[in-house]
Each structure stands twice: as C-alpha cells, then as structure tokens.
Amino acid sequence: MQNRKFDLLSLGEILLRLSPPDNERIVRGNLLEKQIGGAEANVAAGVSLMGLKTGVISKLPDNGLGLFAGNELRFLGVDDEYLVYDTEKDSRLGIYFYEKGAAPRKSGVIYDRRNSSIAGICLEDFDENMYKSTACFHTSGITMALGKQCRETAIEMMKRFKENGTLISFDVNFRLNLWSGEEAKKCIESILPYVDIFFCSEDTARLTFGKEGTVYDIMKAFAREYPISAIASTQRTVHSPKMHSFTSVIYDAKEDRFYEEKAYKNIEVVDRIGSGDAYVAGVLYGLLCPNGNCEKALKYGNACSAVKNTIPGDLPSLNRKEIEGIIADHETVGYHSEMNR
Amino acid sequence: MQNRKFDLLSLGEILLRLSPPDNERIVRGNLLEKQIGGAEANVAAGVSLMGLKTGVISKLPDNGLGLFAGNELRFLGVDDEYLVYDTEKDSRLGIYFYEKGAAPRKSGVIYDRRNSSIAGICLEDFDENMYKSTACFHTSGITMALGKQCRETAIEMMKRFKENGTLISFDVNFRLNLWSGEEAKKCIESILPYVDIFFCSEDTARLTFGKEGTVYDIMKAFAREYPISAIASTQRTVHSPKMHSFTSVIYDAKEDRFYEEKAYKNIEVVDRIGSGDAYVAGVLYGLLCPNGNCEKALKYGNACSAVKNTIPGDLPSLNRKEIEGIIADHETVGYHSEMNR
Amino acid sequence: MQNRKFDLLSLGEILLRLSPPDNERIVRGNLLEKQIGGAEANVAAGVSLMGLKTGVISKLPDNGLGLFAGNELRFLGVDDEYLVYDTEKDSRLGIYFYEKGAAPRKSGVIYDRRNSSIAGICLEDFDENMYKSTACFHTSGITMALGKQCRETAIEMMKRFKENGTLISFDVNFRLNLWSGEEAKKCIESILPYVDIFFCSEDTARLTFGKEGTVYDIMKAFAREYPISAIASTQRTVHSPKMHSFTSVIYDAKEDRFYEEKAYKNIEVVDRIGSGDAYVAGVLYGLLCPNGNCEKALKYGNACSAVKNTIPGDLPSLNRKEIEGIIADHETVGYHSEMNR
Amino acid sequence: MQNRKFDLLSLGEILLRLSPPDNERIVRGNLLEKQIGGAEANVAAGVSLMGLKTGVISKLPDNGLGLFAGNELRFLGVDDEYLVYDTEKDSRLGIYFYEKGAAPRKSGVIYDRRNSSIAGICLEDFDENMYKSTACFHTSGITMALGKQCRETAIEMMKRFKENGTLISFDVNFRLNLWSGEEAKKCIESILPYVDIFFCSEDTARLTFGKEGTVYDIMKAFAREYPISAIASTQRTVHSPKMHSFTSVIYDAKEDRFYEEKAYKNIEVVDRIGSGDAYVAGVLYGLLCPNGNCEKALKYGNACSAVKNTIPGDLPSLNRKEIEGIIADHETVGYHSEMNR
Amino acid sequence: MQNRKFDLLSLGEILLRLSPPDNERIVRGNLLEKQIGGAEANVAAGVSLMGLKTGVISKLPDNGLGLFAGNELRFLGVDDEYLVYDTEKDSRLGIYFYEKGAAPRKSGVIYDRRNSSIAGICLEDFDENMYKSTACFHTSGITMALGKQCRETAIEMMKRFKENGTLISFDVNFRLNLWSGEEAKKCIESILPYVDIFFCSEDTARLTFGKEGTVYDIMKAFAREYPISAIASTQRTVHSPKMHSFTSVIYDAKEDRFYEEKAYKNIEVVDRIGSGDAYVAGVLYGLLCPNGNCEKALKYGNACSAVKNTIPGDLPSLNRKEIEGIIADHETVGYHSEMNR
Amino acid sequence: MQNRKFDLLSLGEILLRLSPPDNERIVRGNLLEKQIGGAEANVAAGVSLMGLKTGVISKLPDNGLGLFAGNELRFLGVDDEYLVYDTEKDSRLGIYFYEKGAAPRKSGVIYDRRNSSIAGICLEDFDENMYKSTACFHTSGITMALGKQCRETAIEMMKRFKENGTLISFDVNFRLNLWSGEEAKKCIESILPYVDIFFCSEDTARLTFGKEGTVYDIMKAFAREYPISAIASTQRTVHSPKMHSFTSVIYDAKEDRFYEEKAYKNIEVVDRIGSGDAYVAGVLYGLLCPNGNCEKALKYGNACSAVKNTIPGDLPSLNRKEIEGIIADHETVGYHSEMNR
C-alpha cells in the first residue's frame, strides 16, 4: 500500500483545550493557554511528526476556532483534506478545561464538549475516494461515545476502510463520563471483528470487558476471540503528578509472541495529557514504517509516550531523530551526553 | 424601600469571556484572557461599585468555571445569594470569544452560549422572599431571548417583583443572533406594561418597534403607550474601534422633560464591550441613590459609560469618587489636572 | 451558636505579596505577581472555602490597594463587614516581597510592613455587635507583634469575644523579625487564659516557652497550665524547597487524647507560604463544622495544608469536596484514579 | 492553467522576526515575540488565506528554527513541498529584530540575515516539475539582493517558469541596506523583459530607475519599455507610526487604463510590516481568482493591505469573507455595523 | 572642568515603580511591572544615555530591592559610586504604584514613599572628594520635600558643590502631596541664590511663587532676583492621556535672549512619567556637552522629552544618534523615512 | 597587586541567548526569553557579584543588541571599559537558542554564532595599559575555537598579561561543535606554559588530552608537565535534567595537596547553563579574595555552581553573604532554617 496518499487517517473529535498557566487553578486567575487536542488527532500528529503522511477526518465549526484547530494540525504536518466545516448557526468546537495537579492534588478536567460539530458528522460529508486513500485507519472509543450519529458514522467508515484493504486500528480509551462500561463493551465487541491493531489497558480489559488472569492471559483471550493481529497495553506507574514511569506490552498474535522492555523511569512529567495517544502514534509508526514490526512498535511507542510527558499541551512535539536518540539512550548503559548541542 | 436588603437585583446570564491579548486574532495565538461578563451582571456590578447593594439572579454550572463567575462578581461587591448552581452532568457556562478590532478591521465575537445552565432557570430555584428583597429589578432582552423556559421565568419574576412594589428596569439590548426583530417586538411589548425604567436605542426603536420621527418623538410615543416613568437612549459615535464619542437622552415622563448634555468626545476606547451596561448602571445609580433623579441619571450614566470604554473586560472597574471627578472635569472649562496623585 | 452570623472572625494584617514569576530573583527581572496574604486572613479564607461563614477584622488603606485586598477576600467568600478603611494621608498596605527557592537556594522574604494601616486599629473602629456575631474568634502572635496599639486592641477584642461566649483560637506564629522570644512569651502567656484552641509548633514551644520533653509532654504541660481544650502542632519535613512531608498532632485536653495520622509524603511544593495557615483553617473547620471534633480537625487540617502547598500564593484555593477526596485517597491503599474528570 | 497544482509559487527568504512586546525597546527588556516573515512568504500566505493554492520556494536550516518557519507557513495553508532543508553544519535562519515606534520615535530594524541558508539555494535543490506546477511565480528585489548565487538562481527560475507559460510577478521592494540603487537598477532592468505583473513604488521609480513625471507617466513609461501587463504602485500616507492612510494605482497596460479608488483613511496601525506584501497578495488574488481583473486586484490589494496593518507580525491573518466585508464597508456611505457578531 | 570625573551628579530618591500592564487597574489584576524611577535619577540616566558621565547620590536599603535599583541605574550607564546602602533593620525602598489612564480616565498614582532610606541621608554618608568630582550638580524640589534631614543635607550639599566651582541645576518639580506651596516657596527661595540652571513650569511660577505676566516676564523676574544663568520652562499640551504636544522656552540671562522652537505635535504617548525629567536631561546635556549652549539645550531638551513619552517606564531609553535624528526630522520639511533600517 | 584597577578581566564572546519559556520547544510557540551569556562573561559576572572588581574584554556590534549585552553586564557590576563596539555594516551578536529538557528529553542548543563581531577582535582594539590593569586574566577554550584571528589575539593577550605579572586562568571548556579534539589539544598545550589556574574536566582530560589513571593522577600529570599552580575539576552527577549533584576536586601543586568536600546533593536544577562558569567564578573568587587559597576556592566554587543551577539564564545572580550562608548550611548537620527572612 506504498502508493496510497496517506499512511494513516484517524477519525475523531478535535477539542479546544484551555488550561491555566503553571499551577494556577481554573477557579481563579485571568489567563488560559489555548491549545488543540483530541485523542485521534494527537495520534495523527504523532505519526506525522515521525515522518509518515497522515490526515484527520473530523468536523469543525466554520469559525475562527475551527480554523485555528485545522491550522494547528497543519502546523504539525497533518493534512486537512478531510476536515469538513460545519456552517450551522450554532456550530461549536468542543472544549475542555484542564488544570495541572501537584501531589497530593490531582489534575482536573472540566468537559464542555456536548453538541459540538463532530456530533453531526455523516458519511455524506466525505467522498468515496477517501476509503482507498490510506494504509491504516485509526479511531477510538471516544468517537464511539460521542452520540448515536457519530458512532454509526464511525462504524460504517471502519467497515468501508476495511473493505478497501485498510488496516484498522482501534484504541478503547474508555471514558466513564461519556458512556457506561456496558455501553462501551457492547459497542466495542461489535466492531472488534474488523480491528487489526487493538489498544486496551489492563484495567479496562478487566473492568469493562471482564477479562481475567495476567495481562498475557488477557491479550491472548482477545486474540482468540477476534482476528486481531497486534494488541498493545500500556503500563504506567504514577509516582506523583510530576513523576511517572512508563512501559508497555505488545502481543503479536501471528507469532504468538509478547514484546516488552524495561520501563522509562523517573519521567519528569510536564503534561501527561496525550501521552497515551503518543504511545499509539509510536506503535503505529513502528508498524507502518518501512520494515515495521512489533518490536519497533514497542520501542517507538514507549519512547514517544515518555517524551510526550515532557511536552506542554495534548499534541506531541517530536521527530524521528530525537526519538531514536531517546531509544538509544534508553538502551545504553553508562555515559550519556547531558545535552543535545 | 430603604429597608430592603438590595437596591438592585438583576437577572441574566453570566458568560465566560475569552479574548486574545492585545490585537491578536482568535484564529491564531496561544493565550486567551479569561474574564466574566453578561449584560445584567455588568449592570449589577456597576451599581455595586457606585456604592449600592446589588445581587445577580442567575444559574451557573456547579464546577470551577461557575464558581469563578460567582467569585468574580463577589470581587466587585455583588452579592451571590441568588446565584444557584446547576449540578446536572452536562451543565455548562456559556462562553463568548471576543477579538478586538482596529480600523478598518472590526471587532468580532464568536458565541458559544447554547445549552448553558441559565436555560434551565425556573421559579422553583428561588424562594419567595426574593421578591420583597430589592428596591429595583433589572433584566434585558437578552434574557428573554435565551429560550422559552428562561423567558417565561423572567416574565413571571418581573410580575412578582412588580407586585411587591419593586421598580422594574428593562434594557431592550436587541441581539439579532439570538432572536428575530419580530419575536423581540412581540415579547417586549407584552412586558412593557410592567416596566418603569426603559432603555432602548434609537435604531432599535425604529427598526424593531417601528417607531418614527425624532428621538424625542420616539420616546414620547413609548411613554404614551406604556406606563413607563423614565426612558433612556444612548448616542454613541464610533469614529474607529479605538475612538468613540458618547452621550445620551433621558426622558422623564412624569415631568415630560428631556435631559441631555454635551458628549464625551475622543474617548480612548480600550474595550467597548459592557459600556452600554455601564451606562444602564450609571442611570440606575442616579435614579436609586439618595435623592436620585433623571438629571443625576444622565450624568452618572454618561460618565460610567465613558469610563467603562477605557477598562479591559466586560465588567466595569470604577468608584463613585472617580466618576464624580470625571463628571466635574466634563463640566469644567479650562485647567484640568493631568493625573490623579 | 448556630444562629450567629459568622462561624469565624479572624483579626490580623492583610499584606500585599509581590513575588517574581517562576524562579526569578527579586534583584532582577521586570515583573511581580501581585497577591494578597496574611496569616489570619489566610485562615478565614480557608474556612470560608470549606463552607463556613467567615469574616476578617482588619484595617486597610482607603486606596486601590486596600480595595484590592478587600476584593480578593470577597472573591474567596470572606465577608468584608469588618474591614475598615484608613483615610489618613499616608495610610499604606503592608507589603512583602517573596522569592521562591530551589535547593540549595532557600526561599527569601523582604518585609516592608512597618507603619501600615493595621498599626492604628482600635476598638472604636468597630461596633459592639461584632462581639456577639461569631462562634469563633481567631488571631495569631503576628498581630500581637505589630506594635503596642495593635496588640492592646487584639487583647481587648479577645476578652470581649470571650465574654460573649465565643471560642478563642490562637496561633503562636512566632516571627523573630517582629519581636523577641521574650516579648512573645510574656505577651502570649498573658492571653493563654482566654484561649480555647491553641496552635504552637514544637520548636517554638521549646525555644520560646521553654517547654521540655516529647511533643506529648509539651502539649500536656500547656493544657495543665491553661484552660485550653485543643492544642495542635504541625510536623513538617522539608526535603527541599520543592518537596515536603507533612502531618500533625492534636491533643484533646478534655478527653486527654492525642490524634495523629501518617504523614502526607512527597508533597510537590508549588508555594509553601500559607500552608501553616491552611492547616489552622482545616483544624478550625473540623472543630466548627456540624459534629466537629478533634479527629476531623486532624484530617481536615493535614489535608488542607498538604493541598495548599500545591497552590500558588498565600491564600488557599480548595473546596470541601476536593479536600474530602484527598483525605479518602490518603486513607486508601491500592488503586487511585490519576485525574479528576 | 486551472489544472496546475498551485495558483502561486513565490521564491524568497524566510526570516525569523524577533520583536519586543508592546513599545519596549530592543536595548532593554527580557522577552521577544518570535514570528516568521519575509516578503515573498508573506505574499504566498496572503494569497493562500484568500483561498488559492500557494507554496513557497526557499531554503531553511535543518534545525528547530527552520522547521518552525515551515510549520508556521503550513499553519497558514501554504504548501511546503518546495521548502528544502540545509544540513550544512553552520546553516542558519536569517533573523531580524524589529522595534515598534510611536511618534516621534520611528520603528527600527536590526538585520542579521547574512550567511543564511537561502544564500546557497540552487537549481539542483528542486526538480524540473516545479516549473510546470503553478499558474504564477512571484519574487522580489530582496531575493535578487541576497548575493550572487541567490540572484542567479532566481533569474534562472524566472526564465524557466516563463518558458512553461507561467505568469511572472515581481515586486521591486528596494532595500538600500542590501544593495545600491545602481545594482538594483541594472539587475531589475535585465529581468523586466520576463515580468508580467510589476510592483514598484513611485519613489523607487524616480530615485532608482530615474523615471519622471506623474505616477501615470511613470507607469506608462515602464509599460512602453517592457512587455508588462499590469503595474501597481502603492500610495501610503504615514500620519504617525500608529496612523496611516493607504490606497494604490494599478495600470492595465493592455486596456491602457488606470484603476484607482479613494484611500482607506485613519488605519489604526498595529504592525505596519508586511502590509506592502499583503497588498501584493491582494492584487495577485484579484488577478488570479476566477474572473480576475485589475479592478478586483485594486480592491483586494487595498483592503488586504489596510487590514494587515491591524495584525501583529509580518504574516497576514485574514480571509476572503472578511476582506469582502471590508471592501463593502469601504464602498458604503452611511450606517456601518460596529462589530462582527 | 573637563578633568572632573563626572559631568553630572544628581541627588534624589530612587523609587520602585509598580504598574499594572496595559490599561489594567491597580484595584484588579495579578501582575505588576517592576521598574525604577525618581526625578533626579531619571535625569542622570538621560544625560548618561546621551553620552556624558553621570552618577546618582542616594541612599538605598541594603536588600534585593535596593540592589535592583542600583543595578538598573548601572544598566543605563549611571555610576553607582555615590549610592550608599542603609543596613537599618526596617530600611526600605520608597514605592509608587502607577496606573495608566485613557481618556476620559486619568492616570493615577498611589505613593508609598514615607520612611524610605533616603530620609536618613546625611553628609557623613559621603566623603569630601565628592564635592570636587563633578562639573554639574542637579537636584529638585522633591528632594527638598522628603523631610527635614533630607532637605538640610541637600541644601548643604548644594553649597559645598557650589564652593567647589560646580554648576548648580535645580528643578522645582512641585508636588502638592509632599509639601504645601508656602513651604516650597520659602525653601526654594532660600536656595535660589546658589542656582545656575533653573527649571520651573509657568503654572508653578504663578501659583507657588506668585509671579505674574507672560512666561517671558516671569523668567526675566527670576533672573533679576537671583544670579541664575539659564531658566527653562516646559510647555505641554495634553490632548488626551495618549496624545500630547510639547515644546519649551529657555531664557539665557546673560544674553537676555529667549530660545523657542515649534512644538512636537501629536506625540503618541506610551508613558508620560519621566518626560519632564528627560527634558531636564536633554537641556543639561545641551549645556554640558562640548560647545554646549542654550540653543542646543532647547533642541535636545525638547527631543528627549518627546521621545521619552514613547518609552515605557520612568527611565529614558535613548541615545545621542537617535535624538539627533529626531531633531533633524523635526526641523525638516518634506520627505521623512518611515523607519530606521 | 591590590593596587590594580581590576581583580579580574576575562576575554570571550558575549552571546544573545534566546529560550522558550517553561518547557516549550524551539519548534513551536511565540515567545523567547532574551538573555545574555558567554562562558567568560559569566565568570566575570560571578566574581563581580561576589564583590571583586571585574571587566570583560570583548567586541560587540554597535547596535541595540550589542548595547543590551553591555548593559546587562553593567547591571551585574561588570565594568565595560574593555567592551569595544564593531561598527562594520554586518556586525552581529552571536546567538544561541536554548531549549530546556525534562527526563527523558534532553536540553538542546542551536548555535548561530558564526561571523559575530568577536571574530574580528584584535590587539589594536585595546590600549597597552590594559595589560597592567588586572590581577588575573581569564579565558577559555571557546575563545580559542572562535577562529584564527580570535585565537591569535587571545594567545597574544595571554602572553602580554603574563609579562605584566598577571595570573593567568584558563578553562578548557571543550566544545566539539566548535573544533576537533586534536585542534583543541594542540592549541591548549601550546598555551599551558602560561597558565597558572587550570580548569579541566576529567572526561576532557582523558578524551582530549589522553591522560590516564584516576582524577588525581591526571591532575598531577598536568602539574608535572606545566608550571600550573592550581588545577580544578568538577564532578557533576546528572540524575535528570531537573536534578543534579555537584562537587569538585582542586589540586594545589605547590602544596601537592588535593582539596575535596562532600557533594551538594539533590540540586533542584532550574537552569544548568552557566553553572560550570559559576564554579570557575567561585574558585577564582576563593583564590583572589583577601587571604584566598585553594580551600576557599573549593568551597566558593562548589557553592556558586550549586546555586547557579537554581537561577534562570546563563548569568549568575548571587552575592557573597548568600553563598556563605549556603556553605554554612552545607557544612552543618541538623536544623536548618527553611527560609531567609
């Protein structure tokens, strides 16, 4: 599929993220930092920054904020061909307000994303060529949880991409404030037959899908029930809002083999939001890049996620050379240079 | 009514205002200034800063943003007894994004105020004592335009306040993006029989209410048809986004007399938003203060509005001593001190 | 005393705090953050944020800075009925400049608080009803150290509140730069007969009051000598300017029982100033809330202090729901959610 | 040429612009605003924002600053296909420092653009298809003045584009600090035989090219000597650094007709830099858009330039709808709405 | 006096100036800009920036703020040899809070300068060599008004400098908030016998010194009564807080000749504070520079003052080359370049 | 040499340092912090802040940026007598862009220092008296690596200072991006015969100079080969970009004695750049102060470096009293006060 226009298209909501500077609280203060985020857009941005061709499928209000969102994605090299603009009178960009924590105060989020333009996304907004334009299609459970029309569109798109030989990637990304565990389980089980690359945390596997045993048992169980070729599960340890460790496990179903590496320890967390999406981006890059495989997926995924934690905002800011340097350092014992210069 | 707890209660939506610093555009940039506004809250704040006791009747989401709104009003001395908090899952604070213009580029607004908590305000949210607690009740056409439930609540409140001997103040504040001229006309004509103090711009009187003749003819026409005691109409000249002139006319229906004064010229506009509400605040202060009358209303109204133009944000920042100094300067010919020190 | 207007009135100086952003030094740079603080005002603000009715008794200059101080307290829900304004020509707000440290550089303070308006506070500034309006009165050794007139006023107020059946709370808050240990000892021992709730650090008890033995011996000694019902002593471990641990001991004299709990470890300190006052606020809330007792005092006190360390500025920003979540997390072993959303 | 990939490709240096905020001076202060500019990139950005497909041909250092420049252009919708990256060890992005004036203090610029990556641009950096990919090619005298290699590359590109049926646009943009008037004259006269659309200020025409007579005489003289089809000349009146008026004259050589309109008066200048480039962008849009002609060029050019003056930074931020609203207002006598909402 | 170490020493208080950014008010907001000012220090800084050797005689607290003040003066090239540091426990730097106005709101100042370290300045703080080290000594009425000790020290210094053949410069700088007109008159008349260069506004001459007639009559009257060689009087027209015009008259007593020039019109005022001191600096530079005379004094004085209005803060930021460019532009009819590049 | 004007003159390039605020990346964002740095200037500033008289020998462009650099050094008390200004047309200040890291992302630097004014520095720029004006002369390998003319000037200056009885201090400061290890070795070995005080890291001694054995062996080897009296080597442990430990070894060749002390642990790193230069400054202060010796050098060196890590920017901000407090704390077991107040 080298000759397709895109390596990756992702489908999902793009949100306006507003957050007080430093450790200020939402309930006080006079400034907000204005950024763009959204699980699937974060993934496309990460893969784009690593060097592949990506785009986002989404619907934005036809106003300055919608354009800002599209512009920010283009800034990161994400193509805007499949961003459609909603000219309805009350069209709006979903918003979330994010407040950074410090132990023992947790970070906090206020969502204000109902009735945003993405809720009205439909198949008619896009032409049929889209389904043949990409090597991989990615979306997440958040998109499924944004209302009936959005879910039906997403599922139908997934099917059409699949029919056109596209790899399907899906991240469960369970959000209790958007839907219940039961709703999630029912919906996601209905689409797993189409999924090739599956991201699911151990907690969600247990609590939402009722899986049991070790993380290895869980992964194998999914692979037995559905024709998934790769399953990835992150393993984050939150020492405090400002200090995490991170690694992951990837299961290659065809090879029946697990890939693991030692954790990135003592990550100095600047902004944790989007580090899960950066993981997905790294994994997809590792699979979709020339000679991609699960081992690369693991290394790129872990490194991208570790680095994202040090970057303010949802969206990653990184490049392949930097990530490969981080991987090399991670694998090296002994002298590390202190600075890139 | 000296013995009532409040001199003024106003009813209306409190919005989160987000605006880029300086002359930056909404479609770019990484910071937004976070402020609170809303026509009726602006009025209550202005009257409070002039020295009377005021409160706002409104409904806010029970989250950090709703609390921020309430806190900011308390900062200005506005009582929060009648701010009720909406604990519904998707309760939200209405938002508007404001971009400052510079000639020939106009200022611009993006509204995102649908489905905010105020839309669900109802009589049951407040106890009956409220209707006996204030000398004056103020609301505006914006409140009427925020949906059926909000409108019905507002009209019923107006009636109950009136029954309890409260002065009723109403500002037409026509916003074409909220309702049509026809809807506005029908609704407002139905409530004018309850109104004592009426604010209506000359343009709106002509275009929406179909009045004709001079501004004096128009005012007299309203006073003939309805039992209004004072009618006020602002007269703003916009030389450019950064330079305005401002004055107004007030008609005292009982005395059948018009009050006017020379315009404040060459106002160096820092932020025009809320200057109309500051006018209403000044007028109400002039009427409600000890020995209040239409002449004071005119002077305080014009000065408050002129000063508000020089203050960033929707909400005024002023005090009675300052306003009286501005009025004295406005009326003085000759030497003016250059600085307050 | 449910029917009193206030749950808590505190008496003390309100200061303007000016501090360079981030880790900038006072001797350089072009910006200062402008905030309000003061031990007793911080306490009133904390108790107010937890949901009780509080006010501050203080004297402020009648200028923009004095008003700013009053406004900021109202922002936090603190009543301004007993803030009196000083119209003397050279009236001033006390100021302190605060520079944040980073190991091994300590934080530093420059005080500029002499001759501030509070120094002239007198009984005649307040009417007699004040003494019957609150369930609890709080002040601290800082107020005693601000000069003869301020001290005499504070002591006389304490007596009048006591006569009216008010609980008296006192925090030693020893500051060597304001008075000597000897002066402090003599003054405080003269007022301890009126004190019900007493806050004294172990170090101060030893160095200033000459107490000996364990912290338990010290507390019992105070309770033997004076009719104090509750004594609280904080236990802070400063690992570095950016990392503290915190807990405390409270002695219930009537029950002759000590309350303790495990420390909050690895607090990520954003701003340590005011965390002692937040402790006092939490303890007073725990005692004054419905069904209050020393156990609640301990839990709320420790949690409020731990959280305050993560908040920029002197004044706390917190609420009861958040604090109860922090307490629940502190007491839970095992899975903690990473974020509030 | 509807079927070409681009409507416009421009060739030129992209600079990092660093400027103190507000009216701060370069010789003081601790912050610089970081933006991107450059005459030809500004033109491409303006045409892109108006809705046509554009790209920039340039050479950037292969580091974070070079990528930033490319990202900012993509943010504005400009394609980066012909941005090539210079991996030489000392490759650098040209910089200029800009200080905003206020009467009687002029704005000031410090250039630090020598030895930047563009100086090494050569034909081999680009493939031959480029010359067939655009309807119009634009560059300016600045590019000619950046050194021998850059000039020769530019001239050769101009010829190849011309050979492929591309419209050639050229803006004299004379900068005395880059080359002498004589050098400029000699170089530009050698390329005028290839130019279709020519931008030259009246002053430069007189001082550098030795033209005489009225502005109309000058334009006709150029058109007589060279096969230029459209000549445009701006007419700016600088009342003060913060207040300008602006209009222009366009000569349609084929029709032998001059296009003029009344000036935009009292432009509230926020940032004058780039307003000449925005003029070129508006003119090119007016010529290249469907049914384009010199009348449209005049209107779009003047409006784009007027609006750019109100936008911070070199790069424009505007859109076609807004510009058409500005034009409509400019042509309307009487009532103008004060705000876009 | 070419061989003296300094061209100018000035004596006066150095203040910390704190002002809200943009048009924010003192009563609100969370940031203050931190700068240094003071009439006599502003003068020394201006003369230093023009290229002469200057120092300030003052007393500062021995803390970070005092050092900041000294550092800022050194930044501008002012020597700190005669800055002495006050190690008293409560030593403090005087402060003033400044709020920028916008018509019709005036700028405002809150002074907090009582009991600052300068109040204790005495002859013993400086060694005798100081009196032989400078060609000119400057101070102002503000220094005289800062208390008995400060005044006596200032007068005695003036005498000692005079005895050593130093030119004495004095600016009345009347501040009603520091002393009464009567006090000022009595004090200043007692020192005028020592003054060579005298700055006095027409208003002050009339109101405080009881002079009558035209500005020329007034100047001649001073020159008749006292052995003053040059008298300067500024003429500022305040169109609004953001727009002034400025010129001045200088009387050369020996030549009995008045120097005047046309006003700088439409000065775009960024910060008016210190523009009077910049005038004094320009005049002193014009007199003290090689071949100095009253004509140069007039030109440099007017230009320095005009430019200072465009600079944020009290202290000037300018240089001789820039000022001479401004003068040249001021004197030129016709084409002016728009920008320095 | 008490009677020399300077205690220290250092020779080196002064750079403009531009860095994104907080953890923002160079490739994004709209603001840069503007500071001054440069290894040798940092050393002079540190020694000046500790209380000795210092100056910097350098060449700066004659524009606002060059003046800014000189002003910032004067701000820190560094004399500008030997800063010469380059009036060539394309004179420029070298720049470096610095991005702060967070584990596992390293800090990064982009240099843009080629062709800066220092490259043209020559003996003729300075008069002969300079060589007799200072007790100590310091430069570093960076100056040697800035090109042939700069190197030759530096070596010749070193010789002339030496001839005049000046102590010569030299810091290897090896930068691979400026020259190769071989070039460095050859050049530095040629100047070591003139060096009295030598700073060389263990890594550089091994990799560049081919030294072997323990750090003690290495130091002795240098002392055997060259007439160096003191050799210092830092020992930094980088736990993460935000957490370092630091100590050093100093070898007194005459006494044949090593000085060492326990490390400063858990330094909370705010800005690591310049901490090596602060070490040199502390060592030189310890040697050059009254009764200076290697033991003082060690203590001051380690403390200055530890503190510099907590200060934003290249340049130190500290004073002798503070450093001595840090040393006392470092040497004390048991109770440390938490704050300086």
Side-chain angles (χ1 to χ4, degrees), chain D residues 258-305:
Chain D
F258 292 96
Y259 291 86
E260 292 180 279
E261 69 172 345
K262 68 172 171 174
Y264 283 82
K265 295 226 167 124
N266 297 326
I267 299 171
E268 291 172 328
V269 179
V270 169
D271 194 326
R272 175 254 194 275
I273 306 280
S275 61
D277 305 321
Y279 174 73
V280 174
V283 168
L284 291 181
Y285 177 76
L287 295 172
L288 298 171
C289 69
N291 305 311
N293 57 41
C294 282
E295 189 183 354
K296 287 183 181 174
L298 179 84
K299 288 181 181 179
Y300 284 118
N302 289 345
C304 285
S305 184

Side-chain angles (χ1 to χ4, degrees), chain B residues 196-235:
Chain B
D196 299 292
I197 308 164
F198 184 54
F199 296 88
C200 185
S201 78
E202 200 180 330
D203 280 346
T204 303
R206 289 181 207 283
L207 300 173
T208 307
F209 293 96
K211 295 287 183 263
E212 291 176 347
T214 65
V215 66
Y216 311 107
D217 297 337
I218 288 170
M219 287 179 145
K220 287 198 168 189
F222 276 119
R224 258 194 321 270
E225 293 170 58
Y226 303 100
I228 303 170
S229 52
I231 303 176
S233 184
T234 61
Q235 304 189 298

Side-chain angles (χ1 to χ4, degrees), chain C residues 26-27 97 99 109-112, chain E residues 16 60-71 84-93 117, chain F residues 319 321:
Chain C
I26 287 171
V27 78
F97 296 85
E99 177 184 297
V109 170
I110 298 175
Y111 284 108
D112 179 11
Chain E
L16 182 63
L60 296 163
D62 184 27
N63 62 25
L65 294 165
L67 287 170
F68 173 68
N71 292 349
V84 295
Y85 286 89
D86 174 5
T87 56
E88 291 296 308
K89 184 165 167 262
D90 287 322
S91 66
R92 69 183 296 262
L93 192 63
S117 292
Chain F
N319 59 67
K321 193 174 142 203

Side-chain angles (χ1 to χ4, degrees), chain A residues 195-200 211 214-235 247-261 279 283 287 293-299 302:
Chain A
V195 171
D196 300 291
I197 307 165
F198 184 53
F199 297 88
C200 184
K211 295 289 183 262
T214 64
V215 67
Y216 311 107
D217 297 337
I218 289 170
M219 287 178 145
K220 288 200 166 188
F222 275 119
R224 259 195 317 273
E225 293 169 58
Y226 303 100
I228 304 171
S229 53
I231 304 179
S233 183
T234 62
Q235 305 189 298
T247 187
S248 66
V249 191
I250 298 184
Y251 179 60
D252 183 324
K254 221 182 304 172
E255 295 186 356
D256 185 23
R257 177 167 164 196
F258 291 95
Y259 290 87
E260 291 180 279
E261 67 171 346
Y279 174 74
V283 168
L287 294 173
N293 58 41
C294 281
E295 190 184 351
K296 287 183 182 174
L298 180 85
K299 288 182 181 180
N302 290 347

Side-chain angles (χ1 to χ4, degrees), chain A residues 123 143-144 147-158:
Chain A
L123 294 176
T143 307
M144 300 294 162
K148 189 159 172 286
Q149 179 163 350
C150 192
R151 176 164 53 249
E152 288 175 1
T153 302
I155 294 174
E156 185 57 26
M157 279 188 180
M158 189 180 280

Side-chain angles (χ1 to χ4, degrees), chain A residues 25 103 105-107 240 272, chain C residues 268 310 317 322 329 338 340:
Chain A
R25 307 211 68 171
R105 176 163 64 88
K106 295 178 185 179
S107 295
S240 85
R272 177 252 193 278
Chain C
E268 291 171 328
T310 71
S317 178
E322 176 179 47
D329 272 359
E338 181 196 345
N340 293 318

Side-chain angles (χ1 to χ4, degrees), chain A residues 22-25 27-29 98-99 101-111 175 177 203 236 238 240-244 272-273, chain C residues 22 33 35 75-76 264-270 306-307 310-313 315-318 322 326 329 335-341:
Chain A
D22 303 317
N23 281 95
E24 191 49 275
R25 307 211 68 171
V27 78
R28 307 192 314 187
Y98 174 64
E99 178 184 295
R105 176 163 64 88
K106 295 178 185 179
S107 295
V109 170
I110 298 175
Y111 284 107
R175 291 286 190 283
N177 59 344
D203 281 347
R236 180 190 300 270
V238 177
S240 85
K242 299 191 176 177
M243 186 65 70
H244 292 183
R272 177 252 193 278
I273 305 280
Chain C
D22 302 319
E33 291 171 357
Q35 292 158 318
F75 183 98
L76 297 174
Y264 283 82
K265 295 224 167 125
N266 297 328
I267 298 170
E268 291 171 328
V269 178
V270 169
V307 165
T310 71
I311 309 279
L315 289 164
S317 178
L318 45 78
E322 176 179 47
I326 300 272
D329 272 359
Y335 177 76
H336 290 184
S337 76
E338 181 196 345
M339 206 181 292
N340 293 318
R341 62 173 158 189

